[in-house]
Amino acid sequence: MNEITPIEKMLHGVLDHVDRPVAEAHGLPNTCYTDADYLKLERERVFAPNWACIGFGKDLPKKGDYKPVELLGQPLLILRDQDDQIKVFHNVCSHRGMILVEEAGNTKGVLRCPYHSWCYSLNGELAMTPHVGGPGNNRHEDVDPKKHGLREVRSAVWMDVIFINLDGKAESFEQRIAPMQERWKDFLGVEVIHTGEDSSFSFDVNCNWKLAVENYCESYHLPWIHPGLNSYSRLEDHYHIIEDNDYSGQGSEVFQPLKDENGKRFPRIEGIDEKWDTSSEYTALYPNVLLGIHNDHFFAIQLEPKSIDRTVEHVELYYLKKEASGEDYADLRKKNAENWHEVFAEDIFVVEGMQKGRNSEGFDGGVFSPAMDTPTHAFHIWVARQLAKAA
Amino acid sequence: MNQELEALNDELLDLLQRERTDRVAEIYEKGAAIHFATGAVEEACFYWTNALVFALQRGEWDRVERMRSCLKDHGRI
């Protein structure tokens, strides 16, 4: 008789284990954090059928710019086309499967495969097939260029964050983003401005990507892990944010804008709900992007899973008014980036510690505080439901 | 990137978008010359190769030979 694998065993009970009232629920089991084979399953059931983040539009500022990326081993290519639209393709030549591009750059007209120089236009069409019909003959009746363009992946850009739906079967992006957009409708249509290197940083963290989500969406840990933050934004100043099956996180009711020694702050956007005078919100948009909104700046963190126990966190800060991108705000931007860097760095030992703990036979998912851990529980339910969907 | 090259690249994108490939090889060759003049041999080879591909496509055999020769001089073919 075939032995049941740890993954099959886990799948058998995961929904029942997790998707129940918070007081009775357990967290996702250790297999979801430690088993390399499980990651393949996660790609199929958690990432591919949903809208996952793979990068940021600011990395492709000009028409013809491209950037190779990977999503759990899938080689992809982000490209800004002639109409200034972001497109995503599988990063592979239709001919012999050669990787098309290995480094970011600009197409300067066409994407040319380095192997046999098959060329693709910016909309992915196969444009050139030199010698395909024999030396000097660039056509062959059996190789129809219309059938062999690059394979496009459904993509969308929202607040400069690039999302893809790998299996092409998810709901429309408009439907997917609607609840988040409704929550942050005051920021709809606001141009988010990235100012370059002073607003980008990353962390290479030894933890499963889900631990970064779990830690981000609860405020329970603030008093112990973020003493600086907690000195003005206390635990009791926070509220939970939960949108079932979509996102969860936390908000603060005592947002204080960063100021320099002269009291100068980033220009804020006006005409929005007065709630935003003092509130800021931090949500994890499932599966892998963490967002933060304030009346003067915004940030997005792409969680790039590298392996079952390694994640790269790409942090990008954006400003909501053009003036903030000027030289006279350079010092304040630097300070803002330093502050957020410090806060996010404080979380590293926690997520790495939880990763180590997931190897313990004395733990297999733990419990949730019914008062403080509901956003984390909501995320676990979402993951468990994705896993169970195709089971 | 210098302005001349930027203008060439914009023109390339525009022509390719409109599927007007008649001048594409010529423009790539021009771009290669600009890069080569500034010592950017890698970039020049990139443009020469694209010029070669488009010249082949259109049967511009003089240009094909010229591009082959440039690439051969730099150990590319």
Side-chain angles (χ1 to χ4, degrees):
Chain A
M1 204 164 97
N2 289 341
E3 211 172 291
I4 297 175
T5 67
I7 293 175
E8 286 167 340
K9 191 175 161 198
M10 181 275 293
L11 280 178
H12 188 68
V14 67
L15 201 55
D16 189 45
H17 202 66
V18 176
D19 195 357
R20 49 175 59 230
V22 63
E24 302 164 17
H26 293 275
L28 292 164
N30 290 354
T31 306
C32 301
Y33 299 81
T34 57
D35 189 324
D37 288 335
Y38 164 79
L39 200 58
K40 293 175 196 158
L41 186 81
E42 204 162 63
R43 190 181 87 185
E44 282 170 30
R45 298 188 184 182
V46 177
F47 282 85
N50 289 295
W51 287 95
C53 168
I54 57 161
F56 303 92
K58 59 97 194 167
D59 288 333
L60 304 102
K62 291 167 58 183
K63 292 172 182 175
D65 282 352
Y66 59 81
K67 185 182 179 187
V69 296
E70 277 195 9
L71 180 63
L72 288 169
Q74 272 302 302
L76 302 165
L77 165 65
I78 313 173
L79 187 143
R80 187 176 290 278
D81 74 7
Q82 176 70 4
D83 299 323
D84 223 11
Q85 299 298 304
I86 293 287
K87 287 191 169 171
V88 179
F89 298 100
H90 287 276
N91 182 12
V92 62
C93 180
S94 304
H95 179 211
R96 303 305 313 141
M98 175 75 182
I99 284 287
L100 269 181
V101 295
E102 303 251 32
E103 290 174 0
N106 187 280
T107 61
K108 304 173 187 82
V110 287
L111 279 164
R112 173 164 48 79
C113 175
Y115 194 5
H116 301 95
S117 282
W118 282 28
C119 295
Y120 300 88
S121 66
L122 268 58
N123 59 12
E125 287 172 8
L126 180 57
M128 299 282 158
T129 50
H131 305 307
V132 71
N137 191 347
N138 306 309
R139 298 272 180 199
H140 190 285
E141 59 185 14
D142 293 331
V143 182
D144 181 356
K146 287 192 172 60
K147 291 182 182 165
H148 301 291
L150 298 181
R151 280 192 52 208
E152 188 168 356
V153 178
R154 274 176 102 194
S155 63
V157 182
W158 181 78
M159 304 281 272
D160 202 48
V161 182
I162 301 171
F163 295 86
I164 60 161
N165 166 224
L166 207 46
D167 76 0
K169 296 175 187 164
E171 62 192 339
S172 71
F173 184 74
E174 289 70 25
Q175 286 173 292
R176 192 269 168 271
I177 204 66
M180 188 76 252
Q181 197 143 274
E182 172 59 23
R183 180 168 198 95
W184 288 355
K185 59 180 180 291
D186 283 323
F187 300 90
L188 251 184
V190 171
E191 185 188 3
V192 293
I193 297 148
H194 196 275
T195 57
E197 280 181 19
D198 67 0
S199 295
S200 291
F201 53 92
S202 63
F203 299 99
D204 196 334
V205 188
N206 292 316
C207 78
N208 182 271
W209 67 276
K210 294 188 292 299
L211 293 171
V213 175
E214 294 168 23
N215 177 64
Y216 185 79
C217 64
E218 53 98 336
S219 55
Y220 189 12
H221 67 286
L222 293 185
W224 297 279
I225 308 302
H226 303 294
L229 206 58
N230 192 63
S231 65
Y232 64 88
S233 182
R234 302 158 307 162
L235 187 58
E236 51 270 44
D237 297 323
H238 288 77
Y239 54 91
H240 302 324
I241 298 169
I242 299 172
E243 178 76 26
D244 280 341
N245 278 322
D246 204 272
Y247 63 83
S248 59
Q250 46 159 318
S252 166
E253 289 172 329
V254 292
F255 164 66
Q256 290 178 17
L258 178 67
K259 291 178 180 165
D260 69 10
E261 58 275 16
N262 301 315
K264 184 168 87 170
R265 58 162 293 179
F266 293 117
R268 55 159 292 172
I269 54 169
E270 304 293 346
I272 56 178
D273 192 297
E274 63 184 21
K275 158 192 169 174
W276 298 108
D277 293 349
T278 54
S279 289
S280 54
E281 294 194 342
Y282 309 93
T283 60
L285 189 59
Y286 310 153
N288 69 325
V289 61
L290 313 178
L291 306 168
I293 195 92
H294 320 78
N295 62 33
D296 57 1
H297 74 287
F298 162 77
F299 64 75
I301 306 173
Q302 174 199 359
L303 301 176
E304 182 186 6
K306 290 288 192 185
S307 67
I308 191 71
D309 57 2
R310 191 179 147 227
T311 303
V312 176
E313 302 178 0
H314 303 274
V315 184
E316 304 295 348
L317 303 171
Y318 295 86
Y319 295 91
L320 304 182
K321 296 287 271 186
K322 216 156 215 154
E323 300 94 286
S325 63
E327 192 52 36
D328 46 342
Y329 283 96
D331 288 343
L332 204 55
R333 288 198 306 270
K334 183 166 179 274
K335 180 76 183 149
N336 195 32
E338 284 169 357
N339 283 359
W340 282 119
H341 189 283
E342 185 181 330
V343 171
F344 299 141
E346 287 169 347
D347 287 313
I348 291 176
F349 94 94
V350 179
V351 291
E352 291 190 338
M354 286 196 288
Q355 181 64 40
K356 287 177 188 162
R358 284 293 187 158
N359 291 304
S360 169
E361 289 178 7
F363 180 90
D364 199 23
V367 293
F368 298 102
S369 156
M372 301 305 296
D373 287 326
T374 45
T376 307
H377 179 229
F379 172 62
H380 277 227
I381 290 174
W382 181 81
V383 173
R385 287 180 183 171
Q386 307 311 302
L387 294 172
K389 257 183 197 171
Chain B
M1 196 190 300
N2 73 34
Q3 285 182 340
E4 197 177 357
L5 270 171
E6 270 195 52
L8 284 183
N9 285 338
D10 287 346
E11 193 176 357
L12 278 170
L13 285 176
D14 182 52
L15 288 172
L16 289 163
Q17 166 93 342
R18 292 189 288 126
E19 298 183 7
R20 286 270 318 276
T21 55
D22 49 323
R23 292 189 54 242
V24 170
E26 177 194 335
I27 297 171
Y28 274 126
E29 187 177 1
K30 271 190 198 168
I34 295 169
H35 278 300
F36 190 63
T38 62
V41 175
E42 279 297 316
E43 282 290 309
C45 287
F46 178 92
Y47 278 74
W48 280 324
T49 309
N50 278 16
L52 172 63
V53 170
F54 280 86
L56 270 171
Q57 189 79 7
R58 293 191 54 81
E60 298 172 3
W61 304 117
D62 288 350
R63 197 185 314 275
V64 166
E65 281 315 305
R66 212 162 47 243
M67 298 303 95
R68 273 193 180 137
S69 168
C70 290
L71 288 164
K72 203 171 170 187
D73 288 348
H74 294 89
R76 298 309 161 102
I77 51 176

